Amino acid sequence: KKKNQGGFPDSTILLNLYDIEGHPFNYSLGKMLSLGIHHSGIQIGRREFAFTLEGIVVTEPHKIPRCKLTHRILITRDATHDQVQNALRELQKTFKPDNYDPL
């Protein structure tokens, strides 16, 4: 099997968790209260999918602006291409740009 940049097979699905850097809340009141602003993405092979103001976007893994990777959680190692495509179609129906709420 082909391997992605993390050394995992391309059929591996990971949940990537990030701290958002450079946001005023994150570094003042947020740190004082042990809170922060976070972002997540689902990495499938050499692509990462995230929900933003634009809807579901695709990026290169770990290349999200102003975000520092803090955790990677293994979801599965053997998803098929059809399983991934079907899941993405369903997610795109639900996660539309007009229902994004960062809070």
Side-chain angles (χ1 to χ4, degrees):
K1 287 184 178 181
K2 289 167 67 176
K3 304 249 181 188
N4 61 33
Q5 71 185 31
F8 295 102
D10 280 347
S11 59
T12 299
I13 298 177
L14 298 158
L15 171 63
N16 294 329
L17 302 173
Y18 300 89
D19 279 343
I20 296 180
E21 298 181 318
H23 191 283
F25 180 81
N26 225 24
Y27 290 101
S28 55
L29 181 61
K31 292 293 180 188
M32 188 171 65
L33 298 174
S34 296
L35 301 172
I37 299 175
H38 307 281
H39 177 76
S40 61
I42 299 291
Q43 180 179 338
I44 304 169
R46 293 178 174 89
R47 299 180 300 171
E48 185 165 354
F49 300 84
F51 184 50
T52 70
L53 290 170
E54 291 85 34
I56 295 177
V57 297
V58 182
T59 65
E60 185 179 334
H62 317 142
K63 300 290 184 188
I64 299 169
R66 298 180 315 279
C67 291
K68 178 183 173 188
L69 181 67
T70 58
H71 297 85
R72 298 174 78 194
I73 300 169
L74 177 66
I75 305 290
T76 184
R77 289 190 182 272
D78 55 3
T80 67
H81 179 76
D82 287 341
Q83 288 172 323
V84 170
Q85 293 305 312
N86 289 337
L88 287 173
R89 273 193 289 280
E90 289 302 313
L91 289 170
Q92 286 173 328
K93 290 177 189 174
T94 304
F95 294 97
K96 298 180 188 233
D98 61 340
N99 64 10
Y100 180 81
D101 182 358
L103 301 178

